[in-house]
Each structure stands twice: as structure tokens, then as C-alpha cells.
């Protein structure tokens, strides 16, 4: 009778240990999933912040250009005559 009780106790202990290990593994997996979700959210926010920072820098550049503008339109190309020479533009008075 004592051996049966001891065997049952050992079996219960093994089952309890297995359940504990299973629950611990399950909790570790859930923690890793939550960490991955957190990292994903952090990356999304950083990307969004980066886009905002780039746009802000573009606006700062435009503001600086507007401050320095003297009212003249300067072409962004070099006009060429039919022979391939550079056209001299008349200076504005």
C-alpha cells in the first residue's frame, strides 16, 4: 500500500512538474510575442517620426530659400543656341 501511495505521489509530482514546465514555456512564448509586438510598434513610430522630421527639414529649407530670394527667377538649366553654345542672358537692371 505504501509503494502504491509513493508511486502515485511520484506520478503526481511528475505531472505537476510537466505542467509547470509547459506553463513556463507558454509564458516565455507569450513574452517573446509581446516583445516582438513592442519592437514592431517602436519601429513604426520611428519610421513615422523620421518621415515627419524629413518633411520638417524640407520646410526649413524652403523657408530659408524664401528668406534669401531677391525676386529674380533663375533658370535651373543652361540655355543653348542651335550651334550648341551657351546663350548669354541680358542682366536685369
Amino acid at each position: 500500500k505504501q509503494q502504491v501511495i509513493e508511486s502515485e505521489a511520484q506520478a503526481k509530482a511528475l505531472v505537476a512538474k510537466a505542467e509547470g514546465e509547459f506553463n513556463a514555456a507558454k509564458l516565455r512564448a507569450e513574452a517573446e510575442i509581446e516583445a516582438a509586438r513592442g519592437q514592431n510598434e517602436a519601429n513604426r513610430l520611428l519610421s513615422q517620426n523620421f518621415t515627419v522630421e524629413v518633411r520638417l527639414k524640407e520646410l526649413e529649407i524652403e523657408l530659408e530659400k524664401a528668406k534669401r530670394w531677391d525676386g529674380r527667377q533663375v533658370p535651373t538649366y543652361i540655355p543653348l543656341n542651335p550651334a550648341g553654345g551657351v546663350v548669354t542672358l541680358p542682366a536685369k537692371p
Side-chain angles (χ1 to χ4, degrees):
K1 187 174 178 179
Q2 182 180 356
Q3 287 179 345
V4 171
I5 293 172
E6 287 176 0
S7 296
E8 287 176 356
Q10 286 177 353
K12 286 181 183 179
L14 288 174
V15 168
K17 182 179 178 184
E19 286 176 353
E21 289 174 357
F22 174 76
N23 289 336
K26 190 173 165 183
L27 288 173
R28 280 192 300 272
E30 288 174 1
E32 287 181 20
I33 290 170
E34 287 304 315
R37 284 185 184 145
Q39 185 65 43
N40 187 28
E41 180 69 11
N43 289 341
R44 186 186 66 78
L45 291 173
L46 283 173
S47 173
Q48 184 180 25
N49 188 35
F50 179 72
T51 304
V52 169
E53 297 245 352
V54 167
R55 182 65 183 139
L56 182 62
K57 195 59 153 172
E58 289 172 352
L59 291 173
E60 287 175 4
I61 291 169
E62 289 297 319
L63 177 63
E64 191 61 32
K65 284 181 182 178
K67 285 179 185 176
R68 293 181 181 190
W69 189 54
D70 60 358
R72 292 187 294 168
Q73 294 292 337
V74 178
T76 56
Y77 63 94
I78 300 173
L80 302 176
N81 62 25
V86 176
V87 175
T88 1
L89 299 173
K92 282 192 174 183

